[in-house]
Amino acid sequence: MPGERDAENLRVALMSYDDRELRIRKFYLEEQSTIIRCTCFQSGEPVLQALRQERCFDVLVLSSQLEDMDSLTFLEKLNRLPSHPPLLLQGDGWADDITAAHLQPGSRFYGVGHDHLRDLLRGLLGVPGRNSMQIERFCTHLYELWKLPQPDTNCEYLTLAVQIACSADGKLALRKEILQGVAEQYHITVAAVDSGLRRLVEGLETRHPVEWEHFKVENGLTGLKVTTGRLVYSLQQTVLRRGIIVREQR
């Protein structure tokens, strides 16, 4: 599908005053993983300004001081934003009491540890919430291709259903585990979730946009009645088949 890679990439902001360090990290990360796309910053304010305007990065990486502010100042300013992507702190200088105060649960700040590039790579691919974030971006991109106006409650139900379906190694039961999970999150009934997803499908089948028909062909749904279950499980398999999420090593 056109533009599909943009929906699947992990957009990383690499931050350090050291231009050489940034270039080495960018080269290594993008060479090791086809989904990682890095943008380098030697100053913190351009990153903060970008985050105030739009959701432009999926992960931030801070490994040293910055040209326009020290690392603690950047952490304090980042904390003042209404929301921000996860921040990975790499290196050995993050253990002092002042910095540790910013690393409490819920802060979305995570220490990677040592300064090895392979540690950073593992940290990026294992960022808490990364899989859900990638699934959300993929689904949002798909809804745009299907010409579904956003925001849309039924699309939100579908995105969460796919996230739940992808959260387990085996196949989850549609109503008892997947739709029930969506219903509990939105404080509605399973029947209401199912009805909303069926209306979404009916709208697509009535308008049959080109990308919807492509999706059906790709998932063997052409000529079949697209039920709620077939839609959710097809999206789950699409996510897994394209490597949009990273399975945890057990």
Side-chain angles (χ1 to χ4, degrees), residues 5-28:
R5 289 304 311 171
D6 290 338
E8 298 174 16
N9 287 336
L10 183 65
R11 302 166 300 177
V12 180
L14 296 176
M15 295 176 289
S16 171
Y17 74 90
D18 189 331
D19 178 61
R20 180 175 178 276
E21 173 189 299
L22 290 173
R23 285 187 281 109
I24 290 173
R25 289 179 173 227
K26 175 180 171 65
F27 178 81
Y28 174 82

Side-chain angles (χ1 to χ4, degrees), residues 12-109:
V12 180
L14 296 176
M15 295 176 289
S16 171
Y17 74 90
D18 189 331
D19 178 61
R20 180 175 178 276
E21 173 189 299
L22 290 173
R23 285 187 281 109
I24 290 173
R25 289 179 173 227
K26 175 180 171 65
F27 178 81
Y28 174 82
L29 293 171
E30 293 183 346
E31 183 181 51
Q32 293 296 313
S33 175
T34 58
I35 69 169
I36 293 178
R37 293 291 180 271
C38 298
T39 305
C40 299
F41 296 90
Q42 291 178 269
S43 298
E45 192 54 45
V47 178
L48 296 168
Q49 185 61 33
L51 293 174
R52 293 186 190 106
Q53 294 175 351
E54 60 179 325
R55 184 174 176 178
C56 46
F57 302 113
D58 299 311
V59 187
L60 312 177
V61 178
L62 180 62
S63 55
S64 68
Q65 306 293 328
L66 299 165
E67 287 186 342
D68 58 344
M69 64 185 75
D70 59 41
S71 54
L72 180 57
T73 300
F74 179 82
L75 266 61
E76 291 173 340
K77 290 188 174 185
L78 187 64
N79 256 343
R80 296 191 195 113
L81 297 180
S83 63
H84 64 78
L87 172 68
L88 299 185
L89 301 170
Q90 185 171 31
D92 297 322
W94 307 107
D96 59 88
D97 292 339
I98 297 177
T99 304
H102 295 271
L103 306 180
Q104 300 304 314
S107 66
R108 306 201 79 196
F109 294 172

